[in-house]
């Protein structure tokens, strides 16, 4: 009999990949989708072999029916309070009511357990849900993957192809930053939800690179040695982000306002993984930085 896994956020980039990896592992995958979801994405999931569970209100009653018979729930939703706290709480309550033993929340990010409150708005929401999850009877596993590797192609201040610069803070030119591709994150998550012994936290990275490393990689793969740019102190960066947030109250209703994007960059230089759990599932093959810049 196949293991049944319920995935919320299955029409998103990560959620879709998680479904694909679970299907490869011959799991029975049920995707919870709203009736307003993109019909092409829903059709693609169905073609893959995913059972589609369409809900109207995303409330406990509807979700409890969807969770019946599942051995685990994976949340890959994105959003603000209405999603990370309210919708995930409904999903959690439904999972408990349906007797589902395990839950992976949408914590795919840097390890925010070491990031003080107020330094990253989106991480603060996840910490708030984490407290609710830890006070529930369900067994939870959070997966921290650092940053998604695709940002290395987005011309962020860290690695900017347009300006040919690499940023650093607090003289941390050798600071290792964790990156994981969405494909690697999805493959690891599929393993973890089927692993009944998975611990509360798992930390992974396809690769870890420093600003110094990125300069060397730019010379090798971008045909020009990018310039290291000193962006100042982390203390100053933190203060700047807080001021920019105060100046932009409308940004509180946006998922990625400019100040939130800056908060993510701050987090990249504030925490990294001292140890990785990459080897927990030895059959996984991890992406290389050379293929992601």
């Amino acid at each position: 009999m196949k293991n049944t896994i319920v995935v919320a956020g299955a029409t998103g980039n990560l959620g879709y990949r998680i479904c694909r990896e679970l299907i490869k592992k011959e799991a029975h995958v049920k995707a919870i989708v709203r009736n307003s979801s993109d019909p092409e994405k829903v059709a693609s999931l169905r073609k893959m072999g995913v059972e589609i569970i369409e809900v109207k209100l995303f409330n406990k009653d509807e979700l409890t029916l969807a969770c019946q018979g599942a051995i685990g729930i994976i949340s890959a939703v994105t959003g603000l309070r209405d999603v990370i706290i309210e919708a995930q709480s409904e999903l959690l309550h439904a999972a408990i009511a349906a007797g589902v033993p395990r839950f992976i929340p949408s914590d795919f990010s840097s390890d925010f357990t070491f990031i003080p409150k107020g330094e990253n708005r989106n991480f603060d929401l996840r910490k708030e849900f984490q407290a609710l999850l830890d006070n529930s009877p369900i067994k939870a596993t959070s997966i921290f993957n650092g940053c998604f590797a695709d940002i290395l192609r987005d011309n962020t201040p860290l690695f900017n192809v347009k300006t040919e610069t690499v940023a650093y803070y607090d003289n941390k030119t050798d600071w290792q930053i964790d990156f994981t591709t969405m494909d690697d994150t999805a493959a690891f998550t599929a393993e973890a939800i089927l692993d009944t012994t998975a611990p509360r936290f798992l930390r992974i990275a396809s690769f870890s690179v420093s600003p110094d490393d990125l300069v060397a990689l730019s010379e090798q793969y971008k045909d020009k040695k990018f310039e290291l740019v000193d962006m100042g102190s982390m203390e100053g960066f933190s203060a700047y982000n807080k001021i920019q947030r105060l100046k932009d109250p409308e940004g509180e209703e946006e998922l990625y306002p400019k100040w939130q994007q800056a908060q993510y960059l701050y987090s990249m230089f504030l925490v990294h993984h001292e140890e990785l759990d990459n080897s927990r599932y030895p059959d996984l093959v991890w992406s290389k930085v050379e293929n992601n810049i």
Side-chain angles (χ1 to χ4, degrees):
M1 185 174 180
K2 290 185 176 182
N3 290 314
T4 297
I5 307 296
V6 173
V7 179
T11 58
N13 286 336
L14 179 61
Y16 182 90
R17 288 170 167 83
I18 290 172
C19 290
R20 182 183 64 201
E21 294 299 325
L22 286 167
I23 292 293
K24 287 180 184 178
K25 298 186 75 62
E26 300 185 346
H28 172 215
V29 183
K30 297 198 289 186
I32 298 173
V33 302
R34 296 180 184 271
N35 53 7
S36 58
S37 296
D38 185 330
E40 290 186 7
K41 292 180 179 179
V42 173
S44 181
L45 286 166
R46 187 177 281 115
K47 183 178 180 180
M48 186 195 298
V50 174
E51 179 184 352
I52 303 300
I53 308 295
E54 188 175 288
V55 298
K56 294 180 180 179
L57 301 176
F58 211 88
N59 61 24
K60 179 184 173 182
D61 292 338
E62 282 189 309
L63 296 174
T64 300
L65 288 174
C67 292
Q68 293 291 338
I71 66 159
I73 309 292
I74 299 173
S75 174
V77 297
T78 58
L80 298 177
R81 175 169 293 276
D82 62 325
V83 175
I84 300 302
I85 305 298
E86 296 171 11
Q88 281 200 125
S89 291
E90 292 288 354
L91 185 60
L92 173 61
H93 296 152
I96 294 168
V100 181
R102 301 190 56 241
F103 193 106
I104 292 181
S106 188
D107 287 347
F108 305 100
S109 62
S110 299
D111 185 350
F112 53 71
T113 62
F114 293 101
I115 297 177
K117 185 177 180 180
E119 299 295 353
N120 187 304
R121 186 272 314 269
N122 291 0
F123 290 174
D124 286 346
L125 292 172
R126 282 164 172 77
K127 290 170 81 169
E128 187 174 337
F129 180 70
Q130 182 185 92
L132 298 174
L133 187 55
D134 286 344
N135 283 320
S136 79
I138 208 162
K139 183 180 179 183
T141 296
S142 291
I143 296 172
F144 295 129
N145 58 276
C147 310
F148 285 119
D150 55 0
I151 73 162
L152 289 172
R153 297 191 176 113
D154 289 343
N155 292 315
T156 64
L158 175 65
F159 188 72
N160 195 321
V161 176
K162 289 183 178 179
T163 61
E164 298 177 338
T165 56
V166 174
Y168 69 94
Y169 294 84
D170 270 358
N171 297 316
K172 294 181 176 182
T173 64
D174 61 349
W175 176 261
Q176 296 290 311
I177 302 170
D178 301 306
F179 293 94
T180 313
T181 66
M182 283 197 183
D183 286 342
D184 287 354
T185 303
F188 189 89
T189 302
E191 294 278 3
I193 196 64
L194 297 171
D195 175 5
T196 58
T197 64
R200 180 65 183 87
F201 300 110
L202 288 168
R203 298 170 178 88
I204 59 174
S206 298
F207 50 85
S208 300
V209 291
S210 69
D212 284 335
D213 294 331
L214 290 172
V215 169
L217 288 162
S218 71
E219 189 172 20
Q220 186 174 2
Y221 293 99
K222 299 299 182 182
D223 297 324
K224 184 170 182 179
K225 186 176 182 179
F226 287 11
E227 178 186 0
L228 271 173
V229 178
D230 184 351
M231 302 290 284
S233 70
M234 289 289 284
E235 182 180 2
F237 193 11
S238 173
Y240 172 82
N241 288 344
K242 290 180 174 64
I243 292 170
Q244 295 307 304
R245 182 178 182 179
L246 287 172
K247 288 182 177 180
D248 180 28
E250 292 83 6
E252 299 293 346
E253 304 304 318
E254 301 172 23
L255 185 56
Y256 298 117
K258 287 186 177 180
W259 50 262
Q260 174 64 70
Q261 296 174 44
Q263 286 183 336
Y264 272 114
L265 182 59
Y266 175 83
S267 299
M268 291 160 65
F269 281 90
L270 185 65
V271 297
H272 60 190
H273 301 153
E274 298 295 339
E275 295 184 7
L276 295 175
D277 295 295
N278 287 29
S279 61
R280 185 176 183 88
Y281 310 116
D283 290 339
L284 297 183
V285 178
W286 298 88
S287 302
K288 297 180 180 180
V289 62
E290 292 83 356
N291 299 326
N292 290 277
I293 61 172

